[in-house]
Amino acid sequence: FHEAPSPFLQSARCYARPVRKRRKDFPSHLDDLPPTMLKKDYANVPIINSVDDVVKRLLSLEMASQKEKVKIKTQQLVEKVRRSPNDNGSFEVQVAMLTAKIRTYEEHLQKHPKDKNNRRRMLMDVDRRRKLLAYLRRVRYDVFENTCKQLNIEYTSPPAYSRRVTKRWLVKKALCLKVFQEVRKLKAPERLKQRQEWRARARARAE
């Protein structure tokens, strides 16, 4: 048998609810897109100038989704680095498209840091972009510099070799060093004998 809580206790419980933290408003790379800009599919339609203002507002970025805004932002980045109007697959264009995807993933992970699936996809795109930039840096350095400048990318060369130091790896390394030293000790008399023979042959040749 449980006694019903008093009204005072109920009000105290409601008052003592934990306050939820307000999410921070992180800056977005889509903030520079004007809300009056038309969507990508309707920007080049000839009849768009004669429609009503309400229709224009419905077809503008003010009513657009995140996916449609990312499409326009990707197109803007591609226009900065493409070689010609028909260039849709060069290394610079691929870097621009990957840059838009990576920045979108970064904003998403700032709001949802536990989303491991999108984090894995972002790391894969970062690695792919790094390989493309490394190729451009090796083959066409002027294009590489222009691409990094236009897309505001700071390229850092990866380390020559990196490995995560674990306890198992340290034990294995110590065992290999110990085995190597023991083998050298066992082969030391044989090496000394070989050196004495080489010196005796050299003396015989000199005489």
Side-chain angles (χ1 to χ4, degrees), residues 94-108:
Q94 295 182 43
V95 169
M97 296 172 67
L98 288 173
T99 301
K101 291 178 63 177
I102 290 168
R103 289 173 181 171
T104 305
Y105 282 135
E106 287 176 348
E107 293 175 10
H108 176 77

Side-chain angles (χ1 to χ4, degrees), residues 96-198:
M97 296 172 67
L98 288 173
T99 301
K101 291 178 63 177
I102 290 168
R103 289 173 181 171
T104 305
Y105 282 135
E106 287 176 348
E107 293 175 10
H108 176 77
L109 290 172
Q110 285 177 345
K111 299 177 182 178
H112 309 280
K114 295 185 179 180
D115 192 349
K116 296 182 180 180
N117 192 15
N118 281 323
R119 184 178 297 277
R120 179 179 60 84
R121 293 177 181 176
M122 185 191 71
L123 293 176
M124 290 172 63
D125 288 340
V126 168
D127 187 56
R128 184 181 174 192
R129 186 182 67 173
R130 181 182 58 79
K131 291 178 181 179
L132 293 173
L133 287 174
Y135 177 80
L136 282 176
R137 186 171 181 263
R138 187 173 64 253
V139 177
R140 300 184 62 183
Y141 191 79
D142 54 341
V143 177
F144 162 78
E145 277 192 333
N146 182 56
T147 303
C148 292
K149 182 179 179 181
Q150 294 294 334
L151 301 179
N152 195 17
I153 298 175
E154 184 178 354
Y155 177 81
T156 54
S157 300
Y161 180 75
S162 59
R163 180 168 184 168
R164 183 183 176 186
V165 179
T166 59
K167 186 176 181 181
R168 180 180 179 183
W169 182 79
L170 290 175
V171 171
K172 185 177 180 180
K173 183 179 179 181
L175 177 62
C176 292
L177 288 175
K178 189 174 182 180
V179 171
F180 176 72
Q181 292 172 0
E182 293 295 330
V183 170
R184 289 191 65 181
K185 289 180 182 179
L186 293 175
K187 292 184 177 180
E190 185 178 353
R191 290 182 177 179
L192 181 60
K193 185 177 179 181
Q194 289 180 354
R195 288 176 185 175
Q196 292 176 355
E197 292 178 356
W198 292 341

